[in-house]
């Protein structure tokens, strides 16, 4: 197997690109720069004979729309980071019949993937989260920490050795996110509460329903719209602000900001984006 390492070295996706090759005797190709262009990605895949590839859902959609030949020769493709577009998955499987496409779901706090689902050609409806992988233990619980029945949405909790110890120097957040595991006999065992609303389907697969909070995933990054709203409202010319997530197309979520100006103030989208760009990372600035 030949894996392509193109994610930032500070991002959890590195664990999907670097360690599998080193631990199983495969070859890992280091991408010379940032993989922001589908055609450049395709040239690296062809030059090095890449067989296994990991892409965020948003970048996968871009590849399928603009340069689907970039995936030629890839035997196994893992996608995740946010909701997957069924239309783009179908298109990729139609163009590359030998491709094994795996939808992965999980959080950095659980060493990335907690569940996965190999997508079969001819599937219908939304792409499910799948089933727990490896030593991950998954529980769907209500607000009383009781398991919910099949078909009923509950919050997704993950347990097992892959769960992190907590957040560095954030004891309050650690206590809220990493809770005692009532289903484990191991002393000190913890569950990570993901904030995802998920249900068990009758066929034994996990299906994403939504969030228990207002967090959103934009191009693989976690975004709290309320945090963006606060930054937007701090502008001296803004009276009120609201930020929501809207889909520009299937599987293509975008942040959209709305403002009411202070009396007499004249605002422009360019000015507000520049203001936010000085206070927030680029992925949190509404498009």
């Amino acid at each position: 197997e030949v894996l392509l390492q193109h994610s930032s070295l500070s991002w959890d996706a590195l664990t999907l690109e670097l360690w599998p090759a080193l631990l199983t005797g495969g070859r890992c190709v280091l991408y010379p720069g940032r993989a922001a262009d589908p055609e450049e990605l395709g040239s690296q895949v062809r030059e090095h004979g890449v067989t296994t590839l990991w892409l965020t859902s948003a970048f996968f959609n871009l590849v399928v729309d603009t340069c689907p030949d970039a995936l030629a020769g890839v035997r196994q493709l893992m996608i995740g980071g946010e909701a997957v577009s069924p239309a783009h998955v179908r298109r990729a499987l139609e163009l590359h019949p030998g491709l094994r496409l795996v939808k992965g779901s999980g959080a950095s706090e659980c060493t990335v993937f907690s569940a996965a689902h190999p997508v079969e050609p001819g599937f219908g409806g939304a792409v499910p989260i799948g089933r727990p992988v490896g030593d991950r233990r998954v529980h769907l619980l209500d607000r009383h920490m009781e398991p919910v029945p099949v078909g009923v949405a509950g919050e997704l909790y993950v347990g097992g050795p892959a769960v992190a110890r907590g957040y560095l120097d954030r004891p309050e957040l650690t206590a809220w996110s990493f809770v005692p595991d009532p289903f484990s006999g191991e002393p000190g065992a913890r569950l990570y509460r993901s904030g995802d609303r998920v249900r068990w389907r009758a066929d034994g697969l996990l299906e994403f329903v939504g969030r228990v909070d207002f967090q959103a995933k934009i191009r693989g990054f976690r975004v709290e719209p309320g945090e963006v709203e606060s930054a937007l409202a701090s502008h001296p010319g803004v009276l009120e602000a609201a930020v929501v997530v809207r889909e520009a197309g299937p599987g293509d979520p975008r942040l959209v900001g709305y403002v009411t100006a202070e009396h007499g103030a004249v605002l422009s989208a360019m000015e507000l984006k520049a203001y936010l760009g000085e206070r927030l990372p680029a992925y949190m600035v509404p498009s």
Side-chain angles (χ1 to χ4, degrees):
E1 292 292 336
V2 181
L3 283 76
L4 181 63
Q5 194 283 304
H6 65 86
S7 300
S8 165
L9 297 180
S10 63
W11 196 31
D12 60 10
L14 176 71
T15 63
L16 303 173
E17 299 171 332
L18 180 63
W19 300 115
L22 298 180
L23 292 172
T24 61
R27 181 159 61 92
C28 186
V29 176
L30 304 182
Y31 194 91
R34 299 182 63 182
D37 183 276
E39 291 187 3
E40 291 182 14
L41 177 74
S43 67
Q44 292 294 318
V45 169
R46 291 188 296 273
E47 180 180 349
H48 299 285
V50 173
T51 60
T52 297
L53 189 62
W54 146 257
L55 298 175
T56 65
S57 300
F59 193 36
F60 165 74
N61 292 347
L62 181 63
V63 170
V64 173
D65 286 337
T66 63
C67 187
D69 288 344
L71 302 177
V74 175
R75 293 199 297 262
Q76 179 168 254
L77 173 66
M78 298 177 286
I79 56 176
E82 59 253 287
V84 174
S85 163
H88 287 83
V89 171
R90 291 192 187 93
R91 178 66 174 155
L93 293 177
E94 289 172 1
L95 294 173
H96 306 286
L99 179 66
R100 183 172 188 260
L101 195 150
V102 179
K103 165 69 170 70
S105 302
S108 307
E109 291 87 345
C110 302
T111 320
V112 204
F113 286 176
S114 298
H117 178 66
V119 185
E120 298 293 337
F123 74 95
V127 179
I129 293 175
R131 292 183 171 85
V133 298
D135 53 14
R136 277 65 163 174
R137 290 183 286 102
V138 168
H139 304 277
L140 304 188
L141 309 177
D142 62 19
R143 59 191 180 92
H144 302 293
M145 293 288 289
E146 293 292 336
V148 297
V150 172
V152 176
E155 184 172 0
L156 175 68
Y157 288 74
V158 181
V163 174
R165 298 180 182 180
Y167 301 107
L168 182 64
D169 298 330
R170 300 289 300 276
E172 292 183 359
L173 184 59
T174 295
W176 189 89
S177 300
F178 297 88
V179 299
D181 185 350
F183 309 101
S184 173
E186 182 182 344
R190 291 286 187 270
L191 292 176
Y192 170 69
R193 56 183 310 175
S194 69
D196 289 337
R197 291 182 68 243
V198 176
R199 70 181 182 96
W200 286 109
R201 299 194 330 188
D203 57 8
L205 297 176
L206 293 163
E207 183 176 71
F208 180 77
V209 176
R211 291 284 301 177
V212 300
D213 54 20
F214 297 105
Q215 187 186 93
K217 275 287 190 75
I218 306 292
R219 297 187 298 277
F221 294 101
R222 300 184 198 185
V223 175
E224 298 282 356
E227 187 176 351
V228 185
E229 286 179 0
S230 296
L232 196 53
S234 70
H235 187 283
V238 173
L239 176 63
E240 294 178 304
V243 175
V244 299
V245 178
R246 295 180 61 181
E247 284 200 345
D252 186 16
R254 303 285 180 89
L255 279 180
V256 182
Y258 299 85
V259 298
T260 301
E262 290 279 6
H263 180 68
V266 178
L267 301 174
S268 71
M270 185 177 299
E271 174 192 353
L272 292 174
K273 291 179 72 170
Y275 179 82
L276 292 178
E278 297 173 351
R279 290 160 177 79
L280 298 173
Y283 65 85
M284 292 179 67
V285 177
S287 56

